[in-house]
Amino acid sequence: MNERQLAFKILNKIERDNAYSNLTLDAALRENAAASASSAFVTALVYGVTERKITLDFMLSRYLTKPLKKLRPEVLTVLRLGAFQLCFMDKVPASAAVNESVKLVKGCGCAYASGLVNSVLRKIAKDGFTYEKTGEKIKDLSIIYSCPKALVSKFVEDYGEEKTEKILSSSIGARPVTARVNTLKASPDELIALLSGENAVAEKCPEDENYIILKNTGAVEELKAYKAGFFHVQDISCGKAVKALLPKAGDTVFDMCSSPGGKAFTAAQLMKNKGKILAFDLYPQRVKLCEEGALRLGIDIIEAKVGDACVFLPEYEKAADKVLCDVPCSGFGIIGRKPEIRYKDIAIIDNLLPVQYNILANAAKYVKSGGTLVYSTCTLSRAENEGVCEKFLGNNAEFRKISFNTIIPTENGGDGFFFAVFGRI
């Protein structure tokens, strides 16, 4: 199976099963590890087609007499793959993009559409991607940055047009992989040297020297430095939320929605592996991920436990110096990292709000007098962020607002993120 065939198979599964792109891609690459397919090329095709779907469909519709929904899903996937290579992958020869697409459509039992695929893609190869702005800001941003109008409108409502364009522009193209150095085992310079010995490219993140940016590493979990526990993958925005908790040696810290454990790992390193961290998650298999990660990193102050963040455990009332609750959210801050999230129905927000509030209100019960509570999300929805936090403050007079922090995505990492810091009086 060559690269385009594998990408075609993955994209069809994502569409058919409404599956997560990263999980589907990773599973397929592992399954086909022995094949000659280039994982980098497959990854670029899968993520590129997924994130550019609205733009690609707009382009294709200009050359089709029938609506896209009338096409067989397999034919549409082939057309999207071909159009993406022609317009957004400069190093792919146009002839290869067209000819391989024709082979793909023949090979998937849709030979009847080979003429259509050939004709449409040759026209796109000749014309390239052009888009004349209409002056309808929401429509223009939607097509240029491949984001549903409803979500564009939501961003504009919350942040205005200028910030919305920054958010959307950062959601297109590969996002950097950032990782936190395990400072219990090595300094950033020592880790970078170790990785260079594995022919992995790493550099310090300009926003925090304890984070590195990884490039051209392949499967991170296969690196010797990873297996030896010298780092864990974590976006720098998430790390900022943990730092805002100010965990220190000897503290008792609760991490309410912990799996896979990255926030607890960072807290443990800031605490110099001294004190106690209770890492709660809803499912035993996810609790196991926290345990395995702590073991790999050489952290022994984390006790991972099954626990519903919405259910109060009276034995832990006012038992923690610091409590972190990174709640389930719409994920609209990480659409550049998980491109299919942009196509979610924004009505999901209304269903999440009561859950988020309940987790925050419940977590507050575990904070000691004088202690700190941090609420965080990886979304940029103000309703899920400031809205939930203002409601909490209105109902909990014993807590004061220390800060609200919204992070707009940046080129150096830093996904869209929000965290609020509260102090218990």
Side-chain angles (χ1 to χ4, degrees):
M1 184 180 296
N2 66 32
E3 290 98 337
R4 291 176 177 85
Q5 289 171 330
L6 184 54
F8 170 79
K9 178 182 177 182
I10 295 167
L11 287 165
N12 275 334
K13 181 173 177 57
I14 292 170
E15 284 287 317
R16 183 182 64 247
D17 300 340
N18 198 26
Y20 283 115
S21 57
N22 61 325
L23 299 179
T24 309
L25 175 65
D26 290 348
L29 290 177
R30 283 196 300 270
E31 186 180 324
N32 292 271
S36 59
S38 161
S39 61
F41 187 50
V42 173
T43 299
L45 289 174
V46 171
Y47 281 140
V49 170
T50 302
E51 73 182 9
R52 298 268 193 183
K53 190 162 59 173
I54 290 175
T55 307
L56 293 170
D57 286 358
F58 170 80
M59 292 165 52
L60 292 169
S61 66
R62 295 190 295 188
Y63 300 98
L64 295 167
T65 56
K66 294 181 179 180
L68 293 177
K69 63 183 179 181
K70 295 286 187 180
L71 296 174
R72 278 187 59 175
E74 295 83 359
V75 175
L76 181 54
T77 297
V78 169
L79 285 169
R80 286 171 175 166
L81 267 168
F84 176 73
Q85 292 168 73
L86 290 168
C87 295
F88 301 110
M89 299 189 83
D90 295 339
K91 294 182 180 179
V92 176
S95 58
V98 175
N99 294 337
E100 292 301 318
S101 296
V102 171
K103 289 179 184 177
L104 266 182
V105 83
K106 288 179 178 177
C108 72
C110 299
Y112 70 89
S114 59
L116 173 71
V117 168
N118 183 63
S119 173
V120 168
L121 294 183
R122 285 189 181 279
K123 290 174 183 176
I124 290 175
K126 177 176 176 291
D127 298 342
F129 173 51
T130 58
Y131 178 71
E132 295 292 331
K133 291 185 178 180
T134 65
E136 297 177 46
K137 194 68 174 182
I138 302 300
K139 178 182 178 181
D140 291 342
L141 290 174
S142 174
I143 293 172
I144 293 169
Y145 296 111
S146 189
C147 189
K149 290 180 182 179
L151 183 54
V152 176
S153 296
K154 175 67 175 166
F155 283 146
V156 170
E157 178 185 339
D158 283 350
Y159 296 99
E161 291 181 1
E162 185 177 343
K163 275 192 178 179
T164 293
E165 190 146 14
K166 288 182 179 179
I167 292 167
L168 295 177
S169 64
S170 74
S171 76
I172 296 294
R175 297 288 294 157
V177 177
T178 56
R180 193 189 196 278
V181 180
N182 183 358
T183 48
L184 301 174
K185 290 191 172 187
S187 69
D189 289 331
E190 288 169 337
L191 175 56
I192 289 171
L194 280 172
L195 289 168
S196 67
E198 297 190 60
N199 296 318
V201 179
E203 59 188 43
K204 288 182 184 178
C205 180
E207 296 185 42
D208 189 323
E209 66 172 11
N210 287 322
Y211 283 78
I212 57 173
I213 298 173
L214 298 168
K215 299 178 180 179
N216 305 319
T217 59
V220 170
E221 64 272 13
E222 294 303 318
L223 293 170
K224 292 177 183 177
Y226 177 86
K227 292 178 179 179
F230 284 98
F231 69 92
H232 67 278
V233 174
Q234 183 178 66
D235 184 74
I236 191 169
S237 295
C238 183
K240 287 178 180 179
V242 181
K243 285 180 70 175
L245 194 64
L246 298 177
K248 65 181 188 300
D251 276 347
T252 296
V253 175
F254 287 9
D255 182 7
M256 300 309 301
C257 303
S258 188
S259 184
K263 300 177 296 297
F265 305 154
T266 297
Q269 290 162 27
L270 292 170
M271 294 163 66
K272 304 188 185 308
N273 203 30
K274 295 176 181 177
K276 183 178 183 180
I277 298 175
L278 291 186
F280 296 96
D281 212 273
L282 190 56
Y283 302 106
Q285 63 269 32
R286 294 185 65 79
V287 169
K288 187 178 179 182
L289 291 176
C290 298
E291 293 172 336
E292 292 171 346
L295 182 64
R296 178 178 63 81
L297 293 162
I299 295 169
D300 58 21
I301 65 168
I302 294 175
E303 182 183 354
K305 300 171 72 72
V306 175
D308 186 337
C310 290
V311 176
F312 178 56
L313 301 173
E315 64 269 30
Y316 295 124
E317 184 173 10
K318 293 187 178 180
D321 300 291
K322 315 283 170 63
V323 176
L324 173 64
C325 47
D326 185 67
V327 300
C329 68
S330 60
F332 291 139
I334 57 171
I335 58 175
R337 186 109 26 213
K338 296 182 179 179
E340 70 281 353
I341 289 178
R342 71 187 66 209
Y343 306 115
K344 281 183 179 180
D345 184 347
I346 64 169
I348 190 176
I349 292 172
D350 292 333
N351 297 326
L352 287 165
L353 295 177
V355 176
Q356 293 162 341
Y357 177 79
N358 288 340
I359 290 174
L360 178 57
N362 189 55
K365 298 174 184 176
Y366 302 128
V367 182
K368 292 179 181 177
S369 296
T372 304
L373 172 65
V374 168
Y375 169 91
S376 64
T377 74
C378 59
T379 188
L380 293 172
S381 160
R382 289 199 185 277
E384 297 175 76
N385 296 337
E386 291 92 341
V388 169
C389 292
E390 292 290 0
K391 179 180 178 182
F392 170 76
L393 286 169
N395 294 334
N396 293 271
E398 69 275 26
F399 281 87
R400 62 185 178 88
K401 170 185 171 181
I402 296 176
S403 65
F404 287 179
N405 308 270
T406 299
I407 301 174
I408 301 299
T410 65
E411 292 180 0
N412 295 321
D415 290 334
F417 209 81
F418 172 86
F419 62 93
V421 185
F422 306 97
R424 185 164 204 156
I425 299 168

